Amino acid sequence: MRLLFVSHSLPPEGRPLANVGGMQRVALKLHETLEARADANALDYDALLLRSAWRTVHLKTPLFLARAGWQIARAARQNAVDVVLFSSMVTASLAVPLQGLLRRHGVRTAAIVHGLDVTTPFPPYQWFVPKVFGALDAVLPVSRATRQACLDRGAAPTRLRVVPNGIDTDRFEAPADPGNGPPGPGRECGGVAPLPPTQRAPALQRGTTGRA
């Protein structure tokens, strides 16, 4: 399979803190993993990436999307790609103008959906979101709540598949004394994060504790 990954969410090389967030980390780690598989000859992989600091990404994205659209179309016409994977609904917007060309050449499309990239309450954007869903062959929300947000905006259930975010365990060190944990029979886990409308506190509580 010849896979083309398209993302506008990566930080600049050597400056990982210049563009930080969940969407950014998913894009970065997915790109690194796919690139490693390509190096091991397990995958035919290419990528169209925008690397930018957060303060300038909004200025650079329109030009990046225009260039990426042209490059995707050229790859399709040359039969050089089988699947295009978009890292968010922002880059997936390219599937709308390219839909006819990609389908004529047998190119499938998929997009990862994070939450705010589908729920942003801007009327023109909300009008456009169902058109993006209609142009994609697969939609990959990162949670059940995000899946429901996609359904509410017209995504076909048969095209939806929840793919939860993973944890890169290599980023963490094992405790020097594994037995030195919190008191009681089990472990405790806590976290602090802003919750967008698709990830309200009750849903988070149910998902982490099993309690309503």
Side-chain angles (χ1 to χ4, degrees):
M1 180 180 69
R2 297 164 298 177
L3 175 66
L4 178 62
F5 180 55
V6 184
S7 177
H8 77 304
S9 304
L10 274 70
E13 291 278 7
R15 297 170 55 201
L17 298 182
N19 194 354
V20 178
M23 182 187 300
Q24 290 83 350
R25 177 158 292 279
V26 168
L28 178 62
K29 299 306 293 186
L30 182 56
H31 168 60
E32 291 176 351
T33 300
L34 293 172
E35 197 169 44
R37 290 181 61 84
D39 291 341
N41 297 319
L43 181 69
D44 188 343
Y45 176 68
D46 199 2
L48 301 175
L49 306 174
L50 173 61
R51 290 183 174 271
S52 173
W54 174 252
R55 67 177 183 274
T56 58
V57 68
H58 303 90
L59 299 175
K60 295 180 178 180
T61 295
L63 181 59
F64 168 75
L65 290 176
R67 185 183 300 113
W70 178 81
Q71 291 173 301
I72 294 169
R74 181 180 63 176
R77 291 190 182 100
Q78 295 175 348
N79 294 316
V81 61
D82 297 313
V83 177
V84 180
L85 174 61
F86 299 102
S87 73
S88 73
M89 287 289 284
V90 175
T91 49
S93 64
L94 293 172
V96 176
L98 294 174
Q99 179 179 4
L101 173 67
L102 295 179
R103 290 186 175 172
R104 284 196 302 273
H105 290 273
V107 180
R108 309 300 292 271
T109 56
I112 303 169
V113 183
H114 302 269
L116 285 177
D117 57 335
V118 72
T119 64
T120 297
F122 181 55
Y125 185 76
Q126 287 300 309
W127 171 83
F128 188 61
V129 163
K131 298 182 184 298
V132 179
F133 287 144
L136 293 167
D137 295 296
V139 179
L140 310 174
V142 300
S143 68
R144 287 175 292 177
T146 304
R147 178 184 185 274
Q148 185 59 52
C150 294
L151 288 171
D152 293 343
R153 289 158 178 81
T158 55
R159 298 184 186 181
L160 286 167
R161 182 180 180 88
V162 175
V163 182
N165 292 330
I167 298 175
D168 182 5
T169 56
D170 292 337
R171 298 180 61 217
F172 304 94
E173 296 182 1
D177 181 5
N180 187 21
R187 300 295 188 189
E188 296 179 2
C189 179
V192 178
L195 292 174
T198 57
Q199 298 168 349
R200 295 295 189 193
L204 180 63
Q205 182 185 37
R206 288 193 298 269
T208 56
T209 67
R211 297 192 300 270

